[in-house]
Amino acid sequence: MENRRPHMKPRIFSGMQPTGALHIGNYLGALRNWAEIQYDYEPIFCIVDQHAITVPQDPKALRESCEQVAALYLAAGLDPKQSAVFVQSQIPAHVELAWIFTCTVPFGWLNRMTQFKAKALEADASQDSVGTGLFLYPVLMAADILLYQAKAVPVGDDQSQHMELTRNIAQRFNKLYGKTFIVPETKLPTVGARIMGLDDPTKKMSKSTDSPNHSISLLDPPGRVKKLIGRAVTDSQPAVNWAEPGAGVANLLTIFQAFSDWTDSQMQSHFAGMRYGALKSEVSEMISAKLEPIQRRYNELMDDRTHLRAVLRDSAERVAPIAAETVRRAKERTGLYSA
Ligand code: TRP
């Protein structure tokens, strides 16, 4: 596969679930980076709605959320002429390959995945209401990536166990049936800043937290940004201790620096010794100033659904032949029937 496209840029694949609003952690940690690197690769960016239904979803909200996330991908700078942007369930090959992998991957490998254990126990200790899809989640993720023979996957380090499993599945299939899949590199193209929760700066900012003061949505208006940053956890010192900032203050500085692209020395001379009240108003103003153009573009995109849907459809049509070819080979190798 690689050798047949020597003149081409390496293909990358990544995705996010269409659940809850994307927040500044998703933007600074991933989306913005995707937009920056897209021209150096052959990029495929997916909205993984089949992963979303591994836990209960409201059907109407889920469908709307797919288009919202698509609009945010584009508003954040993904260029649909360069990057394929589509929804997972537009291409049935994802689940076809996932079933083949389900039958290839040992039960014990999945049983050892820590994310399943954490999520399943959180949902229901007896596991009688935990969908089997949650257990198979990493297999579907492996199918997403291997389906397109991606060379690398720009995701955060919280996904490294899933990436390792993906590599193991590719290697196992290749060993059992002959070389079929590119084993994606573990080295990821640069991922962005790691933003922590505003209410708890020891935990990475996440979409699946109930706390209302945890994250800032990419769609939050300035008044709300101000309120949330105002409530962000700091510490008992009055002003920025540059040498040893507490975790909450360090997180606010990281957010400011990521949005502003200031150098360390600019940051230091501006913020060292600044009182927390002043720090917080500077951080919230910076956030809102940078979100404003994204929100404007998002609203334009959401107001023209015909265009948005055409982007998703065109992207899906563009990548579907790659997926179909992989599934064809995987079926042939495993002996599945097609006439
Ligand atoms: N598991 C990823 C997350 O929670 C989402 C995802 C699904 C994904 N399939 C993928 C990411 C394929 C990268 C590649 O963030």
Side-chain angles (χ1 to χ4, degrees):
M1 199 81 185
E2 277 152 298
N3 298 338
R4 274 193 270 136
R5 349 178 0 254
H7 56 292
M8 295 192 81
K9 295 172 178 170
R11 189 177 291 148
I12 55 173
F13 182 99
S14 196
M16 288 186 197
Q17 293 191 39
T19 48
L22 299 189
H23 52 61
I24 57 169
N26 297 127
Y27 177 70
L28 297 173
L31 257 186
R32 186 176 68 160
N33 177 248
W34 296 356
E36 269 165 24
I37 64 175
Q38 64 185 324
Y39 297 101
D40 301 330
Y41 293 93
E42 187 195 334
I44 304 179
F45 295 114
C46 193
I47 296 149
V48 292
D49 59 343
Q50 287 160 344
H51 280 101
I53 63 165
T54 55
V55 296
Q57 300 291 340
D58 172 63
K60 221 173 131 211
L62 178 62
R63 207 169 292 125
E64 178 66 5
S65 189
C66 284
E67 293 185 352
Q68 287 170 341
V69 171
L72 279 172
Y73 276 13
L74 302 179
L78 293 187
D79 166 5
K81 288 198 196 68
Q82 175 66 16
S83 295
V85 173
F86 71 100
V87 183
Q88 193 178 32
S89 48
Q90 289 181 288
I91 299 189
H94 289 252
V95 287
E96 271 190 275
L97 187 61
W99 179 252
I100 294 175
F101 286 164
T102 298
C103 301
T104 312
V105 62
F107 186 84
W109 290 11
L110 293 182
N111 213 19
R112 284 192 285 273
M113 301 297 284
T114 50
Q115 189 166 329
F116 170 74
K117 285 189 195 142
K119 281 199 187 176
L121 286 176
E122 188 183 301
D124 165 16
S126 74
Q127 302 192 359
D128 280 345
S129 68
V130 175
T132 309
L134 200 56
F135 188 70
L136 294 173
Y137 181 112
V139 179
L140 180 59
M141 178 162 163
D144 294 340
I145 296 163
L146 301 180
L147 191 54
Y148 298 98
Q149 309 284 355
K151 279 279 286 182
V153 183
V155 282
D157 57 5
D158 58 318
Q159 296 296 309
S160 58
Q161 199 182 34
H162 287 152
M163 283 310 302
E164 211 39 57
L165 184 84
T166 299
R167 288 166 52 82
N168 291 340
I169 290 177
Q171 281 157 344
R172 183 175 171 90
F173 190 99
N174 288 347
K175 202 162 113 211
L176 289 172
Y177 296 108
K179 176 126 178 44
T180 310
F181 296 102
I182 290 182
V183 181
E185 286 160 14
T186 26
K187 198 173 79 45
L188 310 170
T190 11
V191 281
R194 188 176 159 85
I195 305 301
M196 313 304 281
L198 299 176
D199 57 340
D200 178 358
T202 64
K203 293 209 179 84
K204 189 175 163 182
M205 190 175 279
S206 130
K207 277 194 283 177
S208 52
T209 310
D210 294 329
S211 157
N213 298 328
H214 176 75
S215 64
I216 292 174
S217 153
L218 292 181
L219 301 176
D220 280 341
R224 186 161 165 74
V225 172
K226 196 158 185 269
K227 202 178 280 174
L228 286 164
I229 291 295
R231 289 184 194 145
V233 169
T234 51
D235 50 59
S236 56
Q237 305 185 65
V240 177
N241 175 351
W242 185 260
E244 265 180 272
V249 170
N251 191 37
L252 294 177
L253 292 168
T254 302
I255 293 171
F256 185 99
Q257 186 168 21
F259 273 117
S260 67
D261 285 323
W262 282 14
T263 63
D264 289 347
S265 67
Q266 277 175 302
M267 289 294 293
Q268 176 170 7
S269 60
H270 189 74
F271 286 111
M274 185 183 279
R275 300 190 69 83
Y276 289 164
L279 165 71
K280 284 184 165 183
S281 57
E282 295 226 12
V283 173
S284 47
E285 273 161 36
M286 176 56 68
I287 296 173
S288 292
K290 295 294 178 170
L291 292 187
E292 195 271 336
I294 297 175
Q295 295 173 352
R296 195 163 9 98
R297 182 84 189 105
Y298 171 83
N299 289 327
E300 286 164 13
L301 287 155
M302 289 301 279
D303 285 345
D304 186 356
R305 298 294 180 109
T306 315
H307 167 74
L308 188 61
R309 287 169 192 159
V311 167
L312 294 173
R313 202 176 327 106
D314 290 353
S315 290
E317 279 171 10
R318 208 158 86 217
V319 298
I322 308 170
E325 171 60 13
T326 305
V327 164
R328 192 195 61 72
R329 287 166 68 197
K331 285 178 72 175
E332 189 179 87
R333 296 262 152 114
T334 45
L336 293 176
Y337 187 76
S338 64

